[in-house]
Amino acid sequence: MYYRSLLASIALLWTTFLFSQNTVEIHGTITDATDQSPLESATVYLTSQKDSTVIDYTISNRKGAFTLEVRKTDEPAFIKVSFIGYKIYSKPLKDLNSSVDLGTIKLRENADELAEVVVQGEAPPIRVKKDTLEFNASSFKVRPDSNVESLLEQLPGVEVDTDGKITVNGKEVNKILVNGKSFFGDDGQIATKNLPSDIIDKIQVSDTKTKEEELSGEEASSDEKTINLTIQEDKNKGYFGRATAGYGTDDRYEGNLLLNYFNDDQRISILGGSNNINSVGFSMDEIFDAMGGGRNVWASGNGGVNINGVSFGATGSGITTSHIGGITFADDVLDDKLETEGSYFYTQTSRENENRTEQENLTPDGGFTSNSENTTQNDSRDQSFNANLEYKLDSLTTIGFSPTLNKTDSDFSSEQTQFSVDENGNLLNESEAINQSSTNQESFRSNLFIVKRFKRKGRYLNFHFSNNNSSNNSEGLNRSSTAFYQNDDPDDIRDQKEFNENQSDNYSLRLRYTEPITDSLSLRGSISYDTNKTTSNRETFDADEATGEYTLRNDPLSSYTTSKTDAINPTVGLRIRKEKLWARIDLGTNITDYRNSSLYLGEHTELKEQYIYPTARANIRYEMSKGKSIYINYNYRVNLPSASQLLPVEDLSNPLSTTMGNPDLRPTKTHSMYFNFNNYDFASRSGIFTYGNISYDEDKVVSVTTYDDNFKRTTTYQNLSGTYSGYAGMNWSASKKKEEHSFRYRLGVNVNFSRNKGITNNENFRANNLALNPSGSFTWEYGELLTIEPSYNFNYNESRYTNYRIDKSSNFRHNFKIQTTSYWPENIVFGNDFGYTYNSNIADGFQKSFWLWNSSIGYNFMKDKMTFKVKVYDLLDQNVGTRRNITDSYIQDVENTVLQRYVMFSLSCKLDKFGGKKPEKGRRFRRF
């Protein structure tokens, strides 16, 4: 073994030596010609003299130094340095056969240069501006016909995980825009997975701003990022899209269309689709585009996308059939004074699931186990209309209005059997139930704002109004039979019809004024008024045995409750804005009138309380240098108990569980602190991001539960202090290019922890919970021929209990996956997604592990306009949906229905026609 290790080490050193003999280094230091100060984040790039193709690039560090390692070549090249506000430095190199020391490069200011005007052939790969990081899309290597997501993965500091979530230097991207406007909602996955990369000109990354911050010119208070994709000028007139149709075994099918029309500021997009494979259905991914529920969702099937309140694809356990249609529109009218956006979506889904659950319930005296099997069918029809209007009244005043209407009709049915046994296997209770319900939900919400800036910089007035009105009405049928075996309680037999009417009306007004004291310090005062009213009316009727009609009102299962909150919140705050420091603190008082009432069993109850409590929030962000910053946030908030937790109304809808409110509950006061530290080095293309949060509760509302001899549960509520929760984590990423080889490394670890309390059978219990999740992945790309991406994810969950029969419960879950994509031979794309999942302590009768292998092969023809594809999902036919859940009061093993093996044959067609000239060839990033 020793000799093998020695030989391997020698081979590695020899390979490194040979590679080093084939590369050279270009290094130097960049300073200001006037004061000799170092220039950090200047872009250094190497271009071919032959055709101006970018060969490689780097960024100067804090001291202005840089090192660029490139492959030897006899081809002549230019070494160039670009920095905003300075003249571009350019030096010809006869060849690249030996290292070059450029010494100190002194850049001179260019007073005539416009920050946004750059000759196309001279555009550097990256530009670091004051508040925006801008990437030149043509400088980054992607395969022909790749989507924007593939382009983003090539950018330094940008990470795209398997769920499509994007982070920049460790900070999450929560908004993606196209030419400054939303594209099928702010979520952005429709844009990143469908827009072709070759129409993108610039990728601009900035801190996410509220509309108020954007219009007033303030620094962003959010620690999240926004990506804006700008379309090339010659591609901003015309249309492009894609249509796909497929059919497979077990009557699996898919079909979708996405068509986009651009005409300068005007954009119209249409989408439509239908499938029964848990798929969102809109992706230009050449391999795994329609394998939702497999590639991204290993067990449960939660692979949907939410756009303006409408869910697309699989959004719950089981197998989903979905039919989708939508249109979006954007344009600037009235001499660009009025910006308009609008969208309409319709989706129809049908989800089927079979669930099997074994649940160990924990009590101080021992425990009992419940087993259940449940078959459900859920059909829904959703409609959504959304608009955004923004009008510039004059150069200093902007008015905006954003209405959204949603309507959902759904039908639900289930059949369930359940039984419970004690620790000795004695039967405690058993039940059978059939439930059917129809629900109608409607909502209207809107936001109206007016932002008035004044001539003095930093002075502005903001008015904001919002409303959210919703109704939820349902009609349900319940037939159930529950038997008790440990005392003389009679069996609970029900044949009932239930009617529920729920209404919620929320209105909010806010007025805010900001006055600058100095260039870097401002004072802000605001006052807000919020009112919220909810009503809930439940009527239950038993069947009349004589007539079979549901005419006998069941008073214990009928109730009427209302809740109304009126709150006034004046605040005053300070803002500090320095070159590297941004901070704010807001202090205020919340005055709340809280009124709850109920009518139950002929008794009227009314609760009135007035609360006066402080509010506090503070944020600070300090940038030590470009790519290196720390952010801290503190928040103090008070949460009122809900009406159901306060009012003395018994909820007897579950024969095995009764709940009742407690009028003596106090509000919960929570202190929370969040921080993150970000350090990304553009020169080495590596970075680390650490973060953490902790929240501490006073008077938290907890459950107080008692069990009778049949282990029928009765629950009320009480205040307990000393609970907390939090999380912490770290992510590290790096990328490197060597000749035709590209490498990306990702390592991360996340920890969640909490202490929860409660009372069971008059005993105070405590649960200390810990979840540990380390993960790692590696990507190797060999030119345009091969991509290999192995990844590993480990989940460990542990709960330690006080005053339970058991002291501890734990479980771990392994998930290993390797994804390969081959683009050889020409016009053939072959991909495999192979994974293994293992659950440790899952109960007997539940499968602990499974392999999931998805495979796809595609053939491009007709100048890559058409693609024929064969996909095999779950090739080994082993996919299962099992999982263990550990909570404060039970340990649960669950199995749900998942997609299993099918073969899909599909045909895709690309549709595009642009009004501008053809793009120049040879602009893509390449290696010699």
Side-chain angles (χ1 to χ4, degrees):
M1 181 64 70
Y2 171 78
Y3 294 106
R4 291 180 181 176
S5 300
L6 180 60
L7 289 172
S9 300
I10 293 172
L12 180 61
L13 290 171
W14 180 249
T15 302
T16 304
F17 172 76
L18 289 177
F19 181 81
S20 66
Q21 299 301 299
N22 199 35
T23 61
V24 296
E25 287 186 353
I26 305 171
H27 51 85
T29 302
I30 306 168
T31 65
D32 182 288
T34 303
D35 60 13
Q36 314 306 317
S37 61
L39 296 179
E40 180 189 355
S41 298
T43 305
V44 183
Y45 56 107
L46 194 67
T47 64
S48 167
Q49 290 190 24
K50 181 180 179 180
D51 57 10
S52 298
T53 301
V54 178
I55 301 171
D56 208 340
Y57 71 95
T58 190
I59 305 293
S60 60
N61 63 19
R62 298 183 202 91
K63 297 179 180 180
F66 68 90
T67 299
L68 187 62
E69 185 179 23
V70 295
R71 185 183 179 187
K72 289 181 178 179
T73 178
D74 292 327
E75 295 288 336
F78 286 106
I79 183 73
K80 300 181 180 182
V81 180
S82 173
F83 196 78
I84 292 291
Y86 290 79
K87 294 180 179 179
I88 290 180
Y89 168 88
S90 179
K91 179 180 177 64
L93 301 175
K94 182 179 179 181
D95 55 44
L96 294 172
N97 286 314
S98 60
S99 295
V100 179
D101 185 358
L102 296 174
T104 299
I105 300 173
K106 299 179 180 181
L107 297 187
R108 298 187 179 277
E109 291 187 5
N110 185 359
D112 297 329
E113 181 186 90
L114 296 176
E116 299 296 332
V117 179
V118 180
V119 179
Q120 187 177 27
E122 294 293 313
I126 296 177
R127 282 205 157 180
V128 183
K129 304 179 182 180
K130 180 181 178 181
D131 58 357
T132 303
L133 181 64
E134 184 178 88
F135 298 95
N136 182 30
S138 64
S139 299
F140 296 90
K141 177 185 176 182
V142 290
R143 280 192 49 78
D145 303 319
S146 295
N147 58 14
V148 168
E149 186 173 273
S150 299
L151 175 61
L152 294 175
E153 291 176 336
Q154 305 302 317
L155 307 182
V158 179
E159 300 287 338
V160 184
D161 69 13
T162 55
D163 294 323
K165 185 179 77 173
I166 302 169
T167 56
V168 178
N169 301 338
K171 298 182 180 181
E172 185 171 348
V173 174
N174 67 337
K175 183 182 293 186
I176 293 181
L177 307 174
V178 178
N179 285 344
K181 295 181 173 62
S182 62
F183 189 83
F184 289 102
D186 291 338
D187 176 87
Q189 287 199 40
I190 297 293
T192 59
K193 292 181 180 298
N194 289 277
L195 292 182
S197 61
D198 57 9
I199 72 168
I200 303 300
D201 183 27
K202 299 287 192 301
I203 302 103
Q204 298 165 336
V205 181
S206 59
D207 295 325
T208 298
K209 291 187 176 184
T210 65
K211 183 59 66 174
E212 179 180 326
E213 291 167 341
E214 178 185 330
L215 294 172
S216 64
E218 275 196 299
E219 296 285 337
S221 58
S222 169
D223 200 45
E224 296 175 306
K225 294 292 185 180
T226 292
I227 288 180
N228 181 43
L229 306 168
T230 66
I231 306 297
Q232 295 174 18
E233 185 177 353
D234 62 312
K235 298 292 181 65
N236 210 24
K237 288 181 180 290
Y239 66 86
F240 65 91
R242 185 181 181 120
T244 299
Y247 188 78
T249 58
D250 295 328
D251 290 327
R252 299 294 171 199
Y253 64 87
E254 61 168 332
N256 60 73
L257 168 69
L258 179 63
L259 190 63
N260 306 279
Y261 170 76
F262 283 81
N263 186 10
D264 294 330
D265 292 328
Q266 187 181 84
R267 186 190 75 234
I268 301 174
S269 299
I270 299 173
L271 63 78
S274 179
N275 72 82
N276 61 356
I277 53 174
N278 285 4
S279 175
V280 175
F282 304 103
S283 172
M284 287 186 62
D285 190 299
E286 294 179 272
I287 297 298
F288 306 104
D289 53 356
M291 290 197 174
R295 179 189 178 203
N296 297 332
V297 190
W298 287 87
S300 63
N302 296 313
V305 173
N306 189 282
I307 304 175
N308 299 331
V310 178
S311 297
F312 295 79
T315 56
S317 300
I319 299 177
T320 301
T321 299
S322 61
H323 312 289
I324 304 165
I327 183 170
T328 68
F329 171 84
D331 198 5
D332 294 347
V333 296
L334 301 179
D335 295 326
D336 292 339
K337 284 189 174 183
L338 178 62
E339 296 182 9
T340 65
E341 294 180 61
S343 64
Y344 171 78
F345 295 98
Y346 174 82
T347 179
Q348 180 178 331
T349 61
S350 177
R351 185 169 66 248
E352 300 176 353
N353 186 46
E354 293 185 6
N355 169 275
R356 182 166 65 96
T357 300
E358 182 173 315
Q359 179 171 302
E360 181 184 356
N361 303 279
L362 307 176
T363 72
D365 307 319
F368 66 100
T369 302
S370 300
N371 291 270
S372 66
E373 293 186 1
N374 193 15
T375 301
T376 60
Q377 172 79 35
N378 197 338
D379 301 319
S380 66
R381 297 157 297 281
D382 304 275
Q383 298 183 72
S384 173
F385 170 77
N386 173 268
N388 183 42
L389 307 174
E390 191 172 309
Y391 182 70
K392 296 179 181 178
L393 193 63
D394 53 47
S395 61
L396 298 176
T397 309
T398 302
I399 302 173
F401 181 58
S402 301
T404 299
L405 295 94
N406 288 334
K407 178 178 173 58
T408 300
D409 297 307
S410 61
D411 299 302
F412 173 80
S413 63
S414 70
E415 295 185 17
Q416 182 184 40
T417 60
Q418 180 270 343
F419 69 91
S420 299
V421 296
D422 63 18
E423 294 177 311
N424 299 316
N426 299 315
L427 187 63
L428 301 173
N429 56 67
E430 62 179 344
S431 63
E432 295 181 351
I434 297 176
N435 293 284
Q436 297 175 349
S437 64
S438 297
T439 303
N440 173 262
Q441 301 177 60
E442 296 180 353
S443 68
F444 171 70
R445 65 180 187 274
S446 70
N447 289 281
L448 171 68
F449 70 84
I450 302 174
V451 175
K452 170 69 176 178
R453 291 185 294 117
F454 297 89
K455 291 184 179 181
R456 182 178 179 182
K457 183 179 179 181
R459 177 187 292 170
Y460 67 93
L461 183 69
N462 174 271
F463 170 80
H464 182 267
F465 168 80
S466 66
N467 72 284
N468 192 344
N469 308 94
S470 64
S471 65
N472 186 326
N473 301 318
S474 66
E475 177 181 329
L477 183 67
N478 170 36
R479 294 189 177 97
S480 65
S481 173
T482 305
F484 306 101
Y485 295 102
Q486 298 302 311
N487 57 25
D488 297 330
D489 285 352
D491 293 347
D492 188 309
I493 310 297
R494 303 187 182 188
D495 185 4
Q496 300 168 335
K497 181 170 283 191
E498 183 177 287
F499 301 88
N500 285 283
E501 295 180 357
N502 299 283
Q503 181 76 32
S504 176
D505 297 288
N506 181 43
Y507 301 93
S508 177
L509 285 168
R510 186 185 69 212
L511 186 65
R512 177 178 292 168
Y513 176 75
T514 300
E515 176 67 27
I517 301 174
T518 66
D519 289 342
S520 59
L521 182 66
S522 61
L523 179 68
R524 170 180 289 181
S526 69
I527 186 168
S528 64
Y529 170 72
D530 295 272
T531 179
N532 183 46
K533 182 178 180 181
T534 61
T535 61
S536 177
N537 185 25
R538 180 173 63 190
E539 301 238 22
T540 304
F541 296 88
D542 293 324
D544 188 333
E545 294 183 0
T547 64
E549 300 294 329
Y550 295 93
T551 55
L552 306 177
R553 192 175 192 273
N554 188 313
D555 290 334
L557 287 174
S558 301
S559 63
Y560 178 81
T561 62
T562 65
S563 178
K564 192 172 190 300
T565 306
D566 292 293
I568 297 176
N569 180 212
T571 64
V572 62
L574 282 174
R575 299 289 188 278
I576 300 174
R577 295 185 298 275
K578 296 283 189 179
E579 182 179 356
K580 293 187 176 183
L581 175 69
W582 177 91
R584 78 172 185 183
I585 182 170
D586 292 296
L587 301 174
T589 302
N590 192 296
I591 305 169
T592 301
D593 284 319
Y594 193 33
R595 298 182 294 279
N596 295 282
S597 65
S598 64
L599 180 61
Y600 179 63
L601 295 177
E603 182 177 345
H604 180 260
T605 301
E606 189 163 348
L607 306 176
K608 295 182 179 180
E609 291 287 348
Q610 185 177 80
Y611 301 99
I612 301 176
Y613 52 83
T615 61
R617 184 176 181 179
N619 307 73
I620 184 170
R621 180 169 60 237
Y622 180 69
E623 293 187 1
M624 287 79 91
S625 60
K626 291 293 184 182
K628 187 176 183 181
S629 64
I630 187 169
Y631 176 85
I632 300 174
N633 173 61
Y634 168 78
N635 190 27
Y636 174 79
R637 63 184 183 274
V638 176
N639 295 316
L640 303 181
S642 66
S644 61
Q645 292 173 330
L646 284 169
L647 292 168
V649 176
E650 283 189 303
D651 184 350
L652 303 170
S653 56
N654 186 341
L656 296 173
S657 178
T658 299
T659 61
M660 176 178 281
N662 175 9
D664 297 324
L665 290 178
R666 298 181 299 276
T668 299
K669 298 172 281 293
T670 302
H671 304 264
S672 63
M673 177 79 74
Y674 170 81
F675 81 93
N676 68 53
F677 172 72
N678 173 62
N679 186 7
Y680 187 84
D681 182 16
F682 288 98
S684 62
R685 303 183 200 176
S686 64
I688 190 169
F689 180 72
T690 61
Y691 55 91
N693 180 84
I694 186 166
S695 296
Y696 177 79
D697 301 310
E698 299 177 45
D699 289 332
K700 185 176 181 179
V701 177
V702 302
S703 297
V704 179
T705 302
T706 56
Y707 291 93
D708 64 12
D709 294 339
N710 293 301
F711 282 86
K712 180 180 177 180
R713 181 170 58 243
T714 301
T715 299
T716 186
Y717 305 96
Q718 187 173 314
N719 292 105
L720 288 179
S721 293
T723 63
Y724 59 80
S725 63
Y727 59 85
M730 178 181 69
N731 293 311
W732 173 83
S733 65
S735 62
K736 186 176 292 187
K737 293 179 181 290
K738 296 290 186 180
E739 299 181 341
E740 296 297 321
H741 304 272
S742 298
F743 306 94
R744 291 197 300 272
Y745 314 87
R746 303 179 186 91
L747 291 174
V749 62
N750 185 69
V751 179
N752 288 269
F753 56 90
S754 65
R755 169 176 286 183
N756 295 323
K757 294 182 177 181
I759 302 174
T760 302
N761 286 350
N762 299 316
E763 291 278 352
N764 287 54
F765 75 83
R766 187 174 66 210
N768 292 322
N769 307 305
L770 174 69
L772 179 64
N773 176 215
S775 62
S777 65
F778 168 72
T779 302
W780 170 46
E781 294 180 355
Y782 179 66
E784 297 183 356
L785 297 179
L786 179 66
T787 301
I788 298 177
E789 300 179 71
S791 63
Y792 174 73
N793 195 353
F794 177 78
N795 286 277
Y796 176 77
N797 292 277
E798 176 186 285
S799 291
R800 294 182 179 269
Y801 304 106
T802 301
N803 282 347
Y804 275 158
R805 180 68 63 85
I806 66 172
D807 298 325
K808 173 185 172 183
S809 179
S810 64
N811 178 64
F812 63 83
R813 181 182 176 92
H814 294 284
N815 182 256
F816 170 76
K817 182 170 64 173
I818 182 168
Q819 185 175 305
T820 65
T821 308
S822 168
Y823 299 93
W824 184 88
E826 188 176 1
N827 297 327
I828 300 293
V829 185
F830 180 49
N832 289 277
D833 192 0
F834 186 74
Y836 174 73
T837 300
Y838 176 81
N839 289 285
S840 64
N841 293 330
I842 206 161
D844 294 338
F846 291 83
Q847 189 170 325
K848 289 187 174 183
S849 63
F850 66 93
W851 300 86
L852 183 61
W853 183 6
N854 301 327
S855 187
S856 171
I857 185 167
Y859 173 67
N860 299 322
F861 59 100
M862 291 185 65
K863 298 181 179 180
D864 291 336
K865 292 288 187 181
M866 305 287 290
T867 301
F868 175 72
K869 202 179 303 182
V870 181
K871 296 172 287 190
V872 184
Y873 177 84
D874 188 19
L875 194 146
L876 301 178
D877 200 22
Q878 289 195 12
N879 192 23
V880 294
T882 57
R883 184 177 293 274
R884 165 161 284 205
N885 301 311
I886 300 175
T887 73
D888 302 335
S889 57
Y890 62 81
I891 302 165
Q892 185 184 76
D893 296 309
V894 180
E895 180 179 283
N896 288 301
T897 300
V898 292
L899 277 170
Q900 292 183 313
R901 183 168 58 194
Y902 68 83
V903 181
M904 179 74 73
F905 303 90
S906 65
L907 185 66
S908 297
C909 175
K910 296 175 185 175
L911 312 166
D912 59 77
K913 183 178 180 181
F914 298 102
K917 62 181 180 179
K918 294 287 186 182
E920 296 179 8
K921 294 184 178 180
R923 290 180 58 211
R924 287 294 175 191
F925 180 91
R926 79 176 189 194
R927 298 278 177 178
F928 290 116

